[in-house]
Amino acid sequence: MSIEILLLIAGMGIVTYLPRVIPFLWLGNKTLPRWLENVLQNVPYAALGALIFPGILWVHDNVLFGLLGGAVAFFFAYRGSHMIVVVFSAIFALLLLNLFVEPFF
Amino acid sequence: MAYVETQTLSNSQFKQGLSSGLPIALGYAPAAITFGFLAETTGLTLMEATAMSMFVFAGAAQYMALNLIAIGTGALEIIFTTFIVNIRHFLMAASLEKKSEPDKPLKKAGYAFGLTDEVFAVTATRPNIVTTGFIFGVFLIAYGSWVANTIIGHWMGGFLPDLIQNSMMIALYALFIALLAPAMKENRKVILLAISAALLNGVFSLFMAEGWAIVLATIAAAVLLELRSIYDRKMKGEL
């Protein structure tokens, strides 16, 4: 392994780990103001929204593929299907789109 | 006796974590295979590619690093870009910290290493307090898949047919949707949070790096909805 790559990996590892670990060590026993606690409680669902959109549009050159795959996933997820079923249904939808719709674009 | 009971409890929490993390492991497979493959074509050895997945464990940042290595960017710039791309995990860690079971700092520092978007999404959307065992379970199955599939990708090159690989690109988005949709049904606030963050991210990502756009959109939506709740409580005369 070349020394440059080794240093690069070490550096990347450190700057990735620090933001992940500091809040756990720093906020440990602190009581935060109520509004801030509430904001942090809001974070997971806000983050999910931001992680899904607009990224899902770029899973294929044609934005419709991502939207349709997302719609299939949403349909199964909303009905309460198991997470694995949701994931497989979306993959299967994309497989069908790639097989049968892709050739026409 | 009490000791044995807590041990069994945490053991079953760990197993639950492993099974809840399974969709992540599945979703990481094509991403890590692609990473291993691209690393090979970029000129990284098997050891280097594997080491990067083992010690960095950050999908988007690793892809970006390959791009930058390929165009001859310096190490410091790559490290700085990695930092920008991953700064959002600071916010996620702060959020999960408030939800996680109190435990020794060393254990928290251990699972903090595994806090990717996906591990955060699966653990932070649990209905109650999240146990250490559960977080470790989700983390380790996701991590195992990421590292193992990096090796497979590097070894076998384009081992998965393009058709399968292209179709599996949707997997992690489907996972996020699977976590979001059931919560939307129960709570209107979840809908508002997700939609406002999604729209804000759509706007922000037009003129800033993806890493910053996600952070700002998430904070803005989380703060806006809290302001709305404060306003509602005021109107009801609770404050």
Side-chain angles (χ1 to χ4, degrees):
Chain A
M1 197 168 346
S2 82
I3 192 78
E4 289 93 28
I5 292 281
L6 196 71
L7 288 174
L8 174 70
I9 292 172
M12 286 176 69
I14 291 166
V15 299
T16 302
Y17 184 55
L18 285 180
R20 289 180 185 175
V21 74
I22 287 171
F24 284 105
L25 302 179
W26 174 50
L27 296 174
N29 303 311
K30 285 196 183 63
T31 326
L32 298 174
R34 185 171 159 209
W35 69 269
L36 189 53
E37 293 260 353
N38 291 343
V39 167
L40 288 175
Q41 272 178 26
N42 284 347
V43 162
Y45 295 107
L48 280 174
L51 287 170
I52 294 168
F53 188 87
I56 197 166
L57 300 178
W58 321 133
V59 300
H60 190 276
D61 292 337
N62 185 338
V63 296
L64 283 178
F65 280 44
L67 287 176
L68 287 169
V72 169
F74 189 83
F75 173 78
F76 283 99
Y78 199 80
R79 286 184 43 192
S81 303
H82 192 277
M83 227 188 271
I84 286 281
V85 177
V86 175
V87 171
F88 271 115
S89 68
I91 294 174
F92 190 64
L94 263 276
L95 201 62
L96 293 180
L97 286 169
N98 275 317
L99 270 178
F100 300 112
V101 181
E102 167 83 22
F104 300 101
F105 279 94
Chain B
M1 195 57 200
Y3 174 75
V4 175
E5 274 164 24
T6 45
Q7 280 300 90
T8 348
L9 180 68
S10 80
N11 192 23
S12 79
Q13 283 288 319
F14 179 72
K15 279 185 190 151
Q16 258 189 51
L18 287 178
S19 86
S20 297
L22 202 60
I24 306 181
L26 179 74
Y28 277 180
I33 287 174
T34 310
F35 172 76
F37 176 60
L38 290 177
E40 201 256 346
T41 44
T42 311
L44 265 63
T45 64
L46 176 63
M47 279 286 281
E48 291 165 346
T50 312
M52 196 184 277
S53 283
M54 281 178 75
F55 297 112
V56 183
F57 190 36
Q62 289 182 225
Y63 277 114
M64 228 167 269
L66 288 184
N67 268 330
L68 295 174
I69 291 172
I71 59 172
T73 313
L76 280 181
E77 277 172 86
I78 299 178
I79 292 169
F80 185 70
T81 311
T82 305
F83 180 69
I84 301 295
V85 173
N86 288 328
I87 194 80
R88 66 178 182 279
H89 294 140
F90 184 87
L91 189 62
M92 296 182 185
S95 175
L96 185 61
E97 157 57 29
K98 288 291 149 199
K99 241 197 140 196
S100 59
E101 129 187 76
D103 213 325
K104 295 192 186 72
L106 200 63
K107 286 190 182 171
K108 296 199 166 214
Y111 64 61
F113 176 78
L115 200 69
T116 60
D117 295 340
E118 295 76 17
V119 170
F120 169 74
V122 169
T123 52
T125 50
R126 298 287 283 177
N128 298 309
I129 289 183
V130 205
T131 61
T132 303
F134 184 83
I135 302 174
F136 266 112
V138 176
F139 157 34
L140 288 177
I141 195 164
Y143 184 67
S145 166
W146 184 250
V147 175
N149 284 302
T150 298
I151 298 173
I152 292 176
H154 195 284
W155 259 343
M156 306 204 172
F159 143 85
L160 281 180
D162 278 354
L163 175 68
I164 304 283
Q165 211 152 326
N166 292 341
S167 306
M168 286 183 83
M169 297 270 286
I170 193 84
L172 293 175
Y173 293 105
L175 168 68
F176 293 142
I177 291 170
L179 293 164
L180 189 57
M184 281 176 129
K185 224 176 356 185
E186 280 162 29
N187 191 342
R188 213 169 70 93
K189 194 177 180 188
V190 169
I191 305 177
L192 293 172
L193 276 169
I195 290 181
S196 51
L199 294 178
L200 286 167
N201 190 34
V203 175
F204 293 162
S205 56
L206 294 176
F207 53 87
M208 60 178 89
E210 198 189 9
W212 284 113
I214 291 179
V215 178
L216 288 183
T218 303
I219 294 179
V223 170
L224 276 175
L225 268 285
E226 173 55 15
L227 288 176
R228 188 173 164 271
S229 307
I230 291 175
Y231 178 79
D232 283 353
R233 285 198 295 270
K234 266 204 181 122
M235 293 313 270
K236 285 184 198 150
E238 283 177 28
L239 286 175

